Amino acid sequence: MNRLDKSYDLVFKNLKIIDGTGAPAFYGDIGIKNDTIMDIGKISGQALQKYDCSGLIAAPGFIDIHNHSDFSIFQEPAARNFTSQGVTTLVTGNCGLSGGPLTPKNKEMFETERIELTQDKWKHWSHYSDFALDLEKLKKSVNIAPLVGQGNIKGAVMGMENKKVSTEQMHQMKQLLQESMESGCFGMSTGLIYDPGIHSDTEELIELTKIVAEYDGIYATHMRNESDFLIDSVIEAITIARRSGVRAQISHLKTSGKRNFGLDQIVLQLMEYYRRFGVEITCDVYPCIFGHTGLENCFPLWTRTKGMVHFQNILKQKDNREKIKYELSRPSIGWENILLDAGFDETIISGSQKFKEYEGKSINELSVILNKDPFDIIFYLVTNDPGIAILVGGLGKKDMEYVLQHPLSMICSD
Ligand SMILES: [Zn+2]
């Protein structure tokens, strides 16, 4: 049949079409029948409905490469917040945290990340495959490409404490990872500033990513440090990719802290350099200069090595609080001092179960309102609401713009 004789349900006329292949944009029409694009080009056939789309662009749906809708997609399967922006595919399970496996041993992760899960979910997602099955069954308007969180896997085997990994535990972690990859997940993510991922060393991650590489999956990493040790962290990601052969994705690349502004250019040069030798490494970036995290994650590492109960006990002692104050006031080694980089002016309460009235206020604003030292404010907040979430600034705008324009980066919502 000639294109002129065809009939369509819908024809969009005079579009600027970007087909996603990398080819230059061109002008044309799109003809649709039964929810399927039948023709692209010059269309003159009959249509039940025709629209003049002059001035509009048609493109394939966007992929949100770094997304955290693992749980919320079950509440909002229409995902209008994404489809209205043209996003049709979400890569979930980032920063070491995914829908499965969920076990009593890694339960604490979800409490501190302010994710409320019903007993129902705990019962059903103890294996990654159970989560994958529920996701498959869900009637949703977006495609989901889930990663498994290394935090889930490590927590499921070892709990949240910083202990040396035994051979048997390594074997168990590998088994859980293999099961996840067999269940159709697209790779593994790490959150190396969060418990329990923060306790994993490079060797452990190389061993795990070898399995991801076997399945041609990707390794997405929220690196150990995005501040004074940004370059070290990128070298770690590159080392993991070189030694395991995995394809690596640096999550939400940024520079934290004024003194580090400009480092992103070096990071991208390093990535380009190692790509010459076959290391497949790319990155993503969110288009804003505030990050989002839990206040508890901003405390010195030694306070967070034995889980939340221990953390709360540490904060009860005045000597410890003085020590923490001292450490939070200067650059750190071995953990990322997010609060120092952001400053109390750009540390803003974004979500709290207990302190709704403080949402939208900075620590400095609260300090004035409550007439208290900013450090005492953060101790008070995190003691009374361990899951309190914050927006943190101190990120480089020029760096963000540089990464956004670079061919090795992809945009994400986080
Ligand atoms: Zn992250």
Side-chain angles (χ1 to χ4, degrees), residues 66 68 94-95 190-191 194 221-222 226 251-252 254 292 414:
H66 186 97
H68 287 283
N94 279 289
C95 302
T190 49
Y194 302 117
T221 177
H222 179 151
E226 294 169 333
S251 298
H252 43 60
K254 59 172 97 68
H292 191 242
D414 199 2

Side-chain angles (χ1 to χ4, degrees), residues 82-124:
F82 291 110
T83 53
S84 60
Q85 301 180 65
V87 174
T88 53
T89 301
L90 311 179
V91 180
T92 58
N94 279 289
C95 302
L97 190 124
S98 59
L102 301 181
T103 74
K105 277 191 166 180
N106 64 16
K107 196 172 180 191
E108 203 177 281
M109 262 176 95
F110 297 90
E111 288 166 351
T112 53
E113 292 300 317
R114 302 175 70 248
I115 294 165
E116 286 171 44
L117 295 169
T118 58
Q119 281 309 317
D120 188 50
K121 298 274 182 288
W122 285 108
K123 238 190 298 174
H124 288 110

Side-chain angles (χ1 to χ4, degrees), residues 202-250:
T202 311
E203 289 303 318
E204 183 184 322
L205 299 174
I206 290 169
E207 280 307 296
L208 292 175
T209 47
K210 278 179 188 169
I211 292 174
V212 180
E214 274 172 33
Y215 290 85
D216 197 24
I218 61 165
Y219 167 60
T221 177
H222 179 151
M223 299 182 296
R224 227 172 268 285
N225 196 293
E226 294 169 333
S227 178
D228 299 331
F229 294 93
L230 173 69
I231 302 295
D232 296 52
S233 303
V234 172
I235 296 284
E236 182 183 32
I238 289 169
T239 305
I240 290 167
R242 284 183 92 178
R243 300 255 313 270
S244 68
V246 79
R247 292 186 285 148
Q249 173 82 4
I250 293 176

Side-chain angles (χ1 to χ4, degrees), residues 391-411:
L391 285 170
V392 279
L395 305 180
K397 186 165 184 279
K398 279 200 177 131
D399 284 47
M400 183 262 289
E401 288 168 350
Y402 181 84
V403 182
L404 270 174
Q405 290 170 39
H406 199 281
L408 290 181
S409 83
M410 290 158 244
I411 199 162

Side-chain angles (χ1 to χ4, degrees), residues 232-288:
D232 296 52
S233 303
V234 172
I235 296 284
E236 182 183 32
I238 289 169
T239 305
I240 290 167
R242 284 183 92 178
R243 300 255 313 270
S244 68
V246 79
R247 292 186 285 148
Q249 173 82 4
I250 293 176
S251 298
H252 43 60
L253 178 60
K254 59 172 97 68
T255 47
S256 196
K258 263 193 193 126
R259 61 201 173 280
N260 297 312
F261 289 0
L263 284 183
D264 273 350
Q265 297 194 24
I266 299 175
V267 170
L268 282 152
Q269 281 167 3
L270 275 171
M271 285 163 60
E272 282 173 339
Y273 174 77
Y274 281 101
R275 284 178 67 89
R276 285 182 6 212
F277 310 109
V279 175
E280 280 199 56
I281 186 159
T282 43
C283 66
D284 48 71
V285 55
Y286 48 71
C288 57

